[in-house]
Amino acid sequence: MADRSRGFMRDEFVTYAYILLYIALSSGQIFFNKWVLSSKEINFPYPLGLTLLHMIFSSVLCFLLTKVLKIVKVEEGMTVEIYVTSVIPIGAMFAMTLWLGNTAYLYISVAFAQMLKAIMPVAVFILGVAAGLEMMSCRMLLIMSIISFGVLVASYGELNINWIGVVYQMGGVVGEALRLIFMEILVKRKGIKLNPISLMYYVSPCSAVCLFVPWIFLEKSKMDGNGPWNFHFVVLSLNSLCTFALNLSVFLVISHTSALTIRVAGVVKDWVVVLVSALLFADTKLTVINLFGYAIAIAGVAAYNNHKLKKEASRVTSETPGDGESIPLVSLPNTERGEDDVVPHRS
């Protein structure tokens, strides 16, 4: 009995350690990106270039893990048709999301960017209805209205609003919503089941190519104009490594907990980012109206998450996989750039 109790406590400790690791990496990566892009010491105000480095780093590391070291097995079932019709759109939208989201940090504060990201479920739902993946209902309309109202109130309370930054951030939100829609189509309609490493193995090279083309036209000349490229190799390598570690932490959390836990952890992370950014960055000035509006939006997001989880639970209960069948993975609406939150349905 004592050994069983100690084993249970050890498992609980490991679970909470993974959750804290996810929250720390997720919020820390946002702060890290903001610092790299805006720091005078680093002098690397190139969101396209930074995101391109992330994708190249992720592509190389995934190749090493799956093909050289063979620590992780790449899921089978990928065909040329599926890659062209699903993976390429996912990679393109992923690239768009990271590019625009990181660019927004040059114009608006981290806290305000995080508040704007709360509108994500609204974008996902509207596009889901258009794609035939969601059904319009009075309850969902109410939830979407609450989230939208909260984001509007938070925006009204912003002291130093920059509309260029808002446009970039909302463009990133639309890109992320489209990525999630394509992910759902990949899982539901085409039956492909990918773990996070397999997903990044396929998506990262595609995203890198999608980022390389605009980088050539939009940022390369600026970097050349500033003289010889002065890369802070250690800082940029650590930044890229943290991005990859974030995806691994998501994999660890979902393998030890549930979809509900990762969603709750995501909400906690959002508040950590908003509050801590006010202490770290001079451009962040929170107001009571900011926080009140964001609280309303987060309440709507919580209601949306609860509705989706109940819907998925009822679907899985009616479609419980038999012995030997694999458990499908779905992508979560995520408010953090650079993550692929993929969680297993559990009956």
Side-chain angles (χ1 to χ4, degrees):
M1 181 66 70
D3 291 341
R4 183 180 301 175
S5 177
R6 281 195 295 270
F8 175 77
M9 291 179 63
R10 184 171 59 253
D11 290 342
E12 286 287 294
F13 175 80
V14 170
T15 298
Y16 283 115
Y18 286 147
I19 293 172
L20 290 175
L21 177 65
Y22 161 74
I23 293 174
L25 285 172
S26 184
S27 54
Q29 186 61 38
I30 293 177
F31 301 142
F32 202 171
N33 285 348
K34 171 71 173 181
W35 178 69
V36 169
L37 291 169
S38 60
S39 171
K40 294 292 190 294
E41 292 82 7
I42 302 301
N43 192 28
F44 197 81
Y46 308 112
L48 256 175
L50 183 64
T51 309
L52 178 59
L53 283 176
H54 290 170
M55 291 299 98
I56 293 174
F57 187 92
S58 178
S59 300
V60 173
L61 209 51
C62 284
F63 179 80
L64 290 175
L65 290 173
T66 57
K67 299 301 182 180
V68 179
L69 301 177
K70 297 184 178 179
I71 297 175
V72 181
K73 181 182 178 182
V74 177
E75 303 289 341
E76 298 178 353
M78 184 62 64
T79 64
V80 174
E81 187 269 335
I82 291 175
Y83 192 88
V84 171
T85 59
S86 293
V87 175
I88 290 181
I90 290 171
M93 292 303 102
F94 193 35
M96 173 182 168
T97 299
L98 298 176
W99 167 24
L100 297 181
N102 283 331
T103 303
Y105 291 145
L106 297 176
Y107 300 94
I108 58 178
S109 68
V110 169
F112 187 46
Q114 201 67 24
M115 293 177 186
L116 292 175
K117 290 173 190 175
I119 202 74
M120 177 70 67
V122 178
V124 172
F125 180 72
I126 291 174
L127 291 172
V129 171
L133 298 172
E134 297 280 0
M135 294 292 293
M136 182 65 73
S137 66
C138 292
R139 181 176 182 180
M140 288 302 294
L141 190 61
L142 176 62
I143 291 173
M144 297 301 110
S145 299
I146 291 173
I147 295 174
S148 300
F149 177 72
V151 173
L152 284 174
V153 172
S155 301
Y156 180 77
E158 180 65 16
L159 295 176
N160 301 312
I161 191 168
N162 184 307
W163 290 107
I164 296 177
V166 171
V167 170
Y168 273 119
Q169 187 59 62
M170 297 311 293
V173 167
V174 172
E176 177 71 355
L178 287 170
R179 183 185 74 86
L180 292 170
I181 294 298
F182 284 123
M183 279 291 301
E184 194 160 355
I185 291 174
L186 182 69
V187 172
K188 286 187 175 180
R189 295 183 179 176
K190 301 189 177 180
I192 300 297
K193 308 169 182 66
L194 300 173
N195 61 47
I197 300 299
S198 296
L199 183 64
M200 293 305 295
Y201 172 81
Y202 288 118
V203 170
S204 294
C206 177
S207 296
V209 172
C210 292
L211 289 165
F212 181 76
V213 175
W215 175 78
I216 288 290
F217 293 100
L218 299 178
E219 283 190 356
K220 185 178 182 297
S221 59
K222 295 179 182 178
M223 295 176 70
D224 291 337
N226 289 331
W229 291 4
N230 182 25
F231 281 107
H232 291 261
F233 180 78
V234 175
V235 173
L236 294 177
S237 296
L238 283 175
N239 184 261
S240 299
L241 183 60
C242 285
T243 301
F244 189 83
L246 179 56
N247 287 286
L248 290 183
S249 72
V250 173
F251 178 75
L252 291 172
V253 170
I254 63 178
S255 64
H256 285 80
T257 58
S258 65
L260 177 60
T261 303
I262 194 77
R263 287 177 185 266
V264 171
V267 171
V268 172
K269 178 266 301 178
D270 292 341
W271 276 105
V272 167
V273 170
V274 168
L275 298 176
V276 173
S277 65
L279 302 175
L280 296 179
F281 301 106
D283 65 346
T284 301
K285 294 180 176 61
L286 297 177
T287 66
V288 174
I289 298 177
N290 269 150
L291 296 176
F292 178 67
Y294 189 53
I296 294 174
I298 288 298
V301 172
Y304 171 82
N305 287 341
N306 183 59
H307 175 78
K308 291 290 288 183
L309 287 170
K310 286 183 177 178
K311 182 179 176 181
E312 293 294 350
S314 62
R315 188 182 70 82
V316 172
T317 301
S318 62
E319 299 178 9
T320 303
D323 295 336
E325 294 185 26
S326 57
I327 301 176
L329 301 177
V330 298
S331 178
L332 288 179
N334 180 20
T335 57
E336 169 57 55
R337 306 280 63 81
E339 294 174 44
D340 280 296
D341 291 357
V342 185
V343 299
H345 287 312
R346 299 184 189 278
S347 55

PDB file of all heavy atoms in Angstrom, residues 127-146:
ATOM      1  N   LEU A 127     -15.228  30.125 -39.507  1.00  0.00           N
ATOM      2  CA  LEU A 127     -14.648  29.389 -40.626  1.00  0.00           C
ATOM      3  C   LEU A 127     -15.107  27.923 -40.612  1.00  0.00           C
ATOM      4  O   LEU A 127     -15.274  27.313 -41.670  1.00  0.00           O
ATOM      5  CB  LEU A 127     -13.125  29.464 -40.569  1.00  0.00           C
ATOM      6  CG  LEU A 127     -12.528  30.850 -40.846  1.00  0.00           C
ATOM      7  CD1 LEU A 127     -11.029  30.853 -40.575  1.00  0.00           C
ATOM      8  CD2 LEU A 127     -12.802  31.275 -42.283  1.00  0.00           C
ATOM      9  N   GLY A 128     -15.301  27.364 -39.411  1.00  0.00           N
ATOM     10  CA  GLY A 128     -15.792  25.992 -39.295  1.00  0.00           C
ATOM     11  C   GLY A 128     -17.200  25.846 -39.843  1.00  0.00           C
ATOM     12  O   GLY A 128     -17.528  24.859 -40.517  1.00  0.00           O
ATOM     13  N   VAL A 129     -18.050  26.843 -39.578  1.00  0.00           N
ATOM     14  CA  VAL A 129     -19.408  26.837 -40.128  1.00  0.00           C
ATOM     15  C   VAL A 129     -19.352  26.928 -41.650  1.00  0.00           C
ATOM     16  O   VAL A 129     -20.055  26.205 -42.363  1.00  0.00           O
ATOM     17  CB  VAL A 129     -20.232  28.007 -39.544  1.00  0.00           C
ATOM     18  CG1 VAL A 129     -21.573  28.131 -40.286  1.00  0.00           C
ATOM     19  CG2 VAL A 129     -20.485  27.793 -38.058  1.00  0.00           C
ATOM     20  N   ALA A 130     -18.478  27.800 -42.162  1.00  0.00           N
ATOM     21  CA  ALA A 130     -18.342  27.960 -43.614  1.00  0.00           C
ATOM     22  C   ALA A 130     -17.846  26.674 -44.277  1.00  0.00           C
ATOM     23  O   ALA A 130     -18.229  26.361 -45.408  1.00  0.00           O
ATOM     24  CB  ALA A 130     -17.392  29.111 -43.919  1.00  0.00           C
ATOM     25  N   ALA A 131     -16.994  25.924 -43.556  1.00  0.00           N
ATOM     26  CA  ALA A 131     -16.432  24.681 -44.109  1.00  0.00           C
ATOM     27  C   ALA A 131     -17.322  23.472 -43.847  1.00  0.00           C
ATOM     28  O   ALA A 131     -16.992  22.364 -44.261  1.00  0.00           O
ATOM     29  CB  ALA A 131     -15.041  24.437 -43.530  1.00  0.00           C
ATOM     30  N   GLY A 132     -18.428  23.672 -43.140  1.00  0.00           N
ATOM     31  CA  GLY A 132     -19.327  22.567 -42.844  1.00  0.00           C
ATOM     32  C   GLY A 132     -18.879  21.689 -41.701  1.00  0.00           C
ATOM     33  O   GLY A 132     -19.398  20.581 -41.518  1.00  0.00           O
ATOM     34  N   LEU A 133     -17.935  22.182 -40.882  1.00  0.00           N
ATOM     35  CA  LEU A 133     -17.429  21.411 -39.748  1.00  0.00           C
ATOM     36  C   LEU A 133     -18.138  21.761 -38.445  1.00  0.00           C
ATOM     37  O   LEU A 133     -18.061  21.012 -37.476  1.00  0.00           O
ATOM     38  CB  LEU A 133     -15.920  21.652 -39.576  1.00  0.00           C
ATOM     39  CG  LEU A 133     -15.032  21.231 -40.751  1.00  0.00           C
ATOM     40  CD1 LEU A 133     -13.602  21.702 -40.519  1.00  0.00           C
ATOM     41  CD2 LEU A 133     -15.068  19.718 -40.926  1.00  0.00           C
ATOM     42  N   GLU A 134     -18.806  22.900 -38.411  1.00  0.00           N
ATOM     43  CA  GLU A 134     -19.522  23.348 -37.219  1.00  0.00           C
ATOM     44  C   GLU A 134     -20.963  23.661 -37.584  1.00  0.00           C
ATOM     45  O   GLU A 134     -21.270  23.994 -38.732  1.00  0.00           O
ATOM     46  CB  GLU A 134     -18.866  24.606 -36.624  1.00  0.00           C
ATOM     47  CG  GLU A 134     -17.440  24.410 -36.138  1.00  0.00           C
ATOM     48  CD  GLU A 134     -17.389  23.750 -34.765  1.00  0.00           C
ATOM     49  OE1 GLU A 134     -18.457  23.447 -34.199  1.00  0.00           O
ATOM     50  OE2 GLU A 134     -16.268  23.534 -34.272  1.00  0.00           O
ATOM     51  N   MET A 135     -21.842  23.569 -36.570  1.00  0.00           N
ATOM     52  CA  MET A 135     -23.249  23.896 -36.753  1.00  0.00           C
ATOM     53  C   MET A 135     -23.573  25.147 -35.939  1.00  0.00           C
ATOM     54  O   MET A 135     -23.220  25.234 -34.763  1.00  0.00           O
ATOM     55  CB  MET A 135     -24.144  22.740 -36.314  1.00  0.00           C
ATOM     56  CG  MET A 135     -23.999  21.493 -37.164  1.00  0.00           C
ATOM     57  SD  MET A 135     -24.640  21.729 -38.844  1.00  0.00           S
ATOM     58  CE  MET A 135     -26.383  21.928 -38.493  1.00  0.00           C
ATOM     59  N   MET A 136     -24.253  26.104 -36.569  1.00  0.00           N
ATOM     60  CA  MET A 136     -24.661  27.312 -35.867  1.00  0.00           C
ATOM     61  C   MET A 136     -25.762  26.973 -34.861  1.00  0.00           C
ATOM     62  O   MET A 136     -26.669  26.204 -35.144  1.00  0.00           O
ATOM     63  CB  MET A 136     -25.166  28.355 -36.868  1.00  0.00           C
ATOM     64  CG  MET A 136     -25.560  29.678 -36.233  1.00  0.00           C
ATOM     65  SD  MET A 136     -24.155  30.542 -35.502  1.00  0.00           S
ATOM     66  CE  MET A 136     -23.308  31.092 -36.990  1.00  0.00           C
ATOM     67  N   SER A 137     -25.641  27.508 -33.649  1.00  0.00           N
ATOM     68  CA  SER A 137     -26.652  27.298 -32.618  1.00  0.00           C
ATOM     69  C   SER A 137     -26.745  28.550 -31.769  1.00  0.00           C
ATOM     70  O   SER A 137     -25.829  29.384 -31.752  1.00  0.00           O
ATOM     71  CB  SER A 137     -26.295  26.093 -31.739  1.00  0.00           C
ATOM     72  OG  SER A 137     -25.124  26.346 -30.982  1.00  0.00           O
ATOM     73  N   CYS A 138     -27.854  28.693 -31.040  1.00  0.00           N
ATOM     74  CA  CYS A 138     -28.038  29.863 -30.178  1.00  0.00           C
ATOM     75  C   CYS A 138     -26.973  29.903 -29.083  1.00  0.00           C
ATOM     76  O   CYS A 138     -26.476  30.985 -28.729  1.00  0.00           O
ATOM     77  CB  CYS A 138     -29.431  29.830 -29.554  1.00  0.00           C
ATOM     78  SG  CYS A 138     -30.775  30.068 -30.745  1.00  0.00           S
ATOM     79  N   ARG A 139     -26.627  28.728 -28.550  1.00  0.00           N
ATOM     80  CA  ARG A 139     -25.618  28.686 -27.485  1.00  0.00           C
ATOM     81  C   ARG A 139     -24.259  29.148 -27.991  1.00  0.00           C
ATOM     82  O   ARG A 139     -23.577  29.951 -27.342  1.00  0.00           O
ATOM     83  CB  ARG A 139     -25.508  27.264 -26.925  1.00  0.00           C
ATOM     84  CG  ARG A 139     -24.500  27.141 -25.797  1.00  0.00           C
ATOM     85  CD  ARG A 139     -24.499  25.757 -25.216  1.00  0.00           C
ATOM     86  NE  ARG A 139     -23.559  25.646 -24.104  1.00  0.00           N
ATOM     87  CZ  ARG A 139     -23.355  24.537 -23.407  1.00  0.00           C
ATOM     88  NH1 ARG A 139     -24.041  23.431 -23.701  1.00  0.00           N
ATOM     89  NH2 ARG A 139     -22.481  24.523 -22.419  1.00  0.00           N
ATOM     90  N   MET A 140     -23.864  28.651 -29.163  1.00  0.00           N
ATOM     91  CA  MET A 140     -22.572  29.043 -29.710  1.00  0.00           C
ATOM     92  C   MET A 140     -22.573  30.518 -30.111  1.00  0.00           C
ATOM     93  O   MET A 140     -21.568  31.218 -29.951  1.00  0.00           O
ATOM     94  CB  MET A 140     -22.221  28.176 -30.921  1.00  0.00           C
ATOM     95  CG  MET A 140     -21.852  26.743 -30.562  1.00  0.00           C
ATOM     96  SD  MET A 140     -20.453  26.646 -29.413  1.00  0.00           S
ATOM     97  CE  MET A 140     -19.128  27.292 -30.419  1.00  0.00           C
ATOM     98  N   LEU A 141     -23.707  31.006 -30.601  1.00  0.00           N
ATOM     99  CA  LEU A 141     -23.806  32.418 -30.961  1.00  0.00           C
ATOM    100  C   LEU A 141     -23.630  33.290 -29.724  1.00  0.00           C
ATOM    101  O   LEU A 141     -22.961  34.335 -29.777  1.00  0.00           O
ATOM    102  CB  LEU A 141     -25.160  32.689 -31.623  1.00  0.00           C
ATOM    103  CG  LEU A 141     -25.335  34.067 -32.289  1.00  0.00           C
ATOM    104  CD1 LEU A 141     -24.308  34.241 -33.396  1.00  0.00           C
ATOM    105  CD2 LEU A 141     -26.748  34.211 -32.831  1.00  0.00           C
ATOM    106  N   LEU A 142     -24.197  32.855 -28.594  1.00  0.00           N
ATOM    107  CA  LEU A 142     -24.053  33.592 -27.337  1.00  0.00           C
ATOM    108  C   LEU A 142     -22.596  33.586 -26.878  1.00  0.00           C
ATOM    109  O   LEU A 142     -22.057  34.631 -26.474  1.00  0.00           O
ATOM    110  CB  LEU A 142     -24.947  32.979 -26.262  1.00  0.00           C
ATOM    111  CG  LEU A 142     -24.825  33.583 -24.850  1.00  0.00           C
ATOM    112  CD1 LEU A 142     -25.215  35.061 -24.866  1.00  0.00           C
ATOM    113  CD2 LEU A 142     -25.688  32.800 -23.855  1.00  0.00           C
ATOM    114  N   ILE A 143     -21.955  32.419 -26.948  1.00  0.00           N
ATOM    115  CA  ILE A 143     -20.551  32.314 -26.523  1.00  0.00           C
ATOM    116  C   ILE A 143     -19.660  33.196 -27.391  1.00  0.00           C
ATOM    117  O   ILE A 143     -18.792  33.915 -26.884  1.00  0.00           O
ATOM    118  CB  ILE A 143     -20.087  30.845 -26.598  1.00  0.00           C
ATOM    119  CG1 ILE A 143     -20.794  30.007 -25.519  1.00  0.00           C
ATOM    120  CG2 ILE A 143     -18.562  30.745 -26.425  1.00  0.00           C
ATOM    121  CD1 ILE A 143     -20.515  28.522 -25.620  1.00  0.00           C
ATOM    122  N   MET A 144     -19.880  33.159 -28.704  1.00  0.00           N
ATOM    123  CA  MET A 144     -19.083  33.984 -29.604  1.00  0.00           C
ATOM    124  C   MET A 144     -19.299  35.476 -29.335  1.00  0.00           C
ATOM    125  O   MET A 144     -18.358  36.280 -29.417  1.00  0.00           O
ATOM    126  CB  MET A 144     -19.432  33.678 -31.069  1.00  0.00           C
ATOM    127  CG  MET A 144     -19.133  32.253 -31.518  1.00  0.00           C
ATOM    128  SD  MET A 144     -17.398  31.781 -31.343  1.00  0.00           S
ATOM    129  CE  MET A 144     -17.506  30.606 -29.983  1.00  0.00           C
ATOM    130  N   SER A 145     -20.529  35.849 -28.991  1.00  0.00           N
ATOM    131  CA  SER A 145     -20.836  37.247 -28.684  1.00  0.00           C
ATOM    132  C   SER A 145     -20.123  37.693 -27.417  1.00  0.00           C
ATOM    133  O   SER A 145     -19.611  38.818 -27.336  1.00  0.00           O
ATOM    134  CB  SER A 145     -22.351  37.438 -28.532  1.00  0.00           C
ATOM    135  OG  SER A 145     -23.030  37.100 -29.723  1.00  0.00           O
ATOM    136  N   ILE A 146     -20.078  36.818 -26.410  1.00  0.00           N
ATOM    137  CA  ILE A 146     -19.396  37.144 -25.149  1.00  0.00           C
ATOM    138  C   ILE A 146     -17.903  37.362 -25.391  1.00  0.00           C
ATOM    139  O   ILE A 146     -17.313  38.332 -24.911  1.00  0.00           O
ATOM    140  CB  ILE A 146     -19.620  36.022 -24.115  1.00  0.00           C
ATOM    141  CG1 ILE A 146     -21.083  35.992 -23.671  1.00  0.00           C
ATOM    142  CG2 ILE A 146     -18.700  36.208 -22.900  1.00  0.00           C
ATOM    143  CD1 ILE A 146     -21.424  34.809 -22.784  1.00  0.00           C
TER     144      ILE A 146
END
